Amino acid sequence: MQDLPDGRPAYGIQLPVQSQSTIYAESWEAGAGADDLVAIARAVEDAGFAYLAVCDHVAIPRRLAPAMSTVWYDPVATLAHLAAVTGRIRLLSHVAVVGLRHPLLTAKQYATLDHLSGGRLILGVGAGHVREEFEVLGVDFGQRGAVLDEAVDALRAALGPDEFPTHHGKFYDFEGLGQRPRPAQQRVPVWVGGSSPAAVRRAALKGDGWLPQGDPRDRLPAQIARLRRLREEAGIEGPITVGAITEPLYVGTPDWAVGRRTLTGAPEALAESLRAYGEMGVHQIQVRFRSRSRAELIDQIQAFGADVAPRLA
């Protein structure tokens, strides 16, 4: 997923409701559910968004629950539900902590999702950060980076064209075990999340895309330059989709407190600010809107698609 044909960066969204960390969740999401997710997913598709994304956590320990909450819908179940009520939009896990599960289990779930959705999956992967999740599932938290490195290789095999994939590694070893249905795509895109030096290296060497996590604008150019340098040094040719998470947005002039970091204003002013990402070499931007209700959020999604997105070129 590179730039749109007219040179605009593609734009996607991490859905509300399905994860409710206090860092970004709005108060209305606490009482929302499946009907809200479906309505928002349809609005996002109608507004021309390239993808919708959902997060992944298995269980949140009590020490983190006040900040993170325990509301984290399963990504495969959620994306499958939304695949059935949409027809075009890509389905992104942002991000799946694939080291928590055996690659054949992950491949079975996501290959089925890609097959049923007609080839709309983008598999976003990340190392994870909650120690207790790893410990309760019997995975070494201290080796999660190495586990993820190998898991990506194993998933490349398990999500490839072969019915009987083969992988021999330190953490995973399998052959002679068949899985169908196969993904509808010949190659499922793998986008690597994270902004640490290890994550950027992993994205450069193993990813089809990079999903920064919290990099402010002034850090992105150096990160993108390093990403490209690592690929060049490794002799890796071909495109990689560079992403960015924008500041929170509100199209128009709000009459309520949307937070000092939120970008607000007329469509052209917002577009002018967001065009800076494309000038850095970003191919897709992930946006999130401030809202007080589902209706206001859908209004914001529609205004962005109709009035801001066409001005991003």
Side-chain angles (χ1 to χ4, degrees):
M1 183 187 298
Q2 296 289 306
D3 296 344
L4 297 174
D6 59 5
R8 291 180 293 151
Y11 51 99
I13 189 170
Q14 180 177 308
L15 291 179
V17 180
Q18 54 81 38
S19 70
Q20 296 187 27
S21 167
T22 59
I23 295 173
Y24 49 73
E26 303 285 8
S27 59
W28 65 267
E29 295 178 48
D35 290 346
D36 302 283
L37 270 174
V38 168
I40 294 163
R42 286 173 167 161
V44 165
E45 180 168 69
D46 291 344
F49 282 61
Y51 67 79
L52 56 82
V54 302
C55 303
D56 181 25
H57 277 291
V58 172
I60 306 302
R62 289 187 184 276
R63 69 180 179 88
L64 296 176
M68 293 181 64
S69 90
T70 59
V71 179
W72 297 84
Y73 287 36
D74 177 78
V76 179
T78 305
L79 290 175
H81 183 69
L82 298 178
V85 297
T86 57
R88 171 200 59 81
I89 197 163
R90 300 298 293 267
L91 310 166
L92 169 65
S93 57
H94 188 180
V95 289
V97 185
V98 294
L100 293 175
R101 308 163 180 92
H102 192 283
L104 288 179
L105 175 59
T106 299
K108 169 59 71 174
Q109 295 173 314
Y110 282 101
T112 303
L113 172 60
D114 194 64
H115 179 83
L116 291 175
S117 68
R120 290 193 274 151
L121 171 66
I122 303 171
L123 181 60
V125 302
H129 66 94
V130 179
R131 177 182 293 274
E132 290 90 336
E133 283 184 307
F134 285 78
E135 291 174 344
V136 76
L137 295 171
V139 182
D140 188 338
F141 181 76
Q143 293 202 79
R144 66 193 185 282
V147 168
L148 176 56
D149 283 338
E150 186 178 326
V152 172
D153 295 337
L155 285 167
R156 290 285 194 197
L159 291 171
D162 293 338
E163 181 182 351
F164 293 87
T166 297
H167 174 82
H168 300 295
K170 176 181 178 182
F171 302 105
Y172 308 112
D173 190 284
F174 54 84
E175 67 175 318
L177 295 167
Q179 289 189 327
R180 295 184 70 180
R182 307 305 303 155
Q185 299 178 85
Q186 288 297 308
R187 178 183 174 92
V188 173
V190 176
W191 289 3
V192 177
S195 293
S196 69
V200 174
R201 174 177 290 276
R202 184 176 299 118
L205 301 184
K206 295 181 177 290
D208 302 303
W210 175 47
L211 294 164
Q213 297 294 108
D215 279 301
R217 289 191 190 208
D218 59 357
R219 284 191 59 195
L220 276 174
Q223 292 276 63
I224 294 170
R226 180 169 180 263
L227 182 84
R228 291 174 173 164
R229 185 176 66 254
L230 288 168
R231 288 175 66 83
E232 182 178 349
E233 291 171 353
I236 300 173
E237 298 180 353
I240 183 169
T241 298
V242 176
I245 299 176
T246 74
E247 300 85 351
L249 304 178
Y250 192 92
V251 183
T253 302
D255 59 2
W256 57 288
V258 294
R260 62 181 181 84
R261 289 189 61 249
T262 301
L263 298 180
T264 67
E268 175 54 37
L270 289 182
E272 181 180 4
S273 178
L274 295 175
R275 283 196 293 267
Y277 286 104
E279 293 164 3
M280 296 177 195
V282 169
H283 303 111
Q284 66 88 7
I285 55 173
Q286 185 173 122
V287 298
R288 193 174 188 102
F289 303 97
R290 296 301 318 274
S291 61
R292 293 165 293 180
S293 65
R294 181 182 103 180
E296 185 171 30
L297 175 58
I298 290 177
D299 286 345
Q300 285 289 302
I301 289 167
Q302 292 171 338
F304 185 89
D307 302 324
V308 180
R311 294 177 163 91
L312 293 178

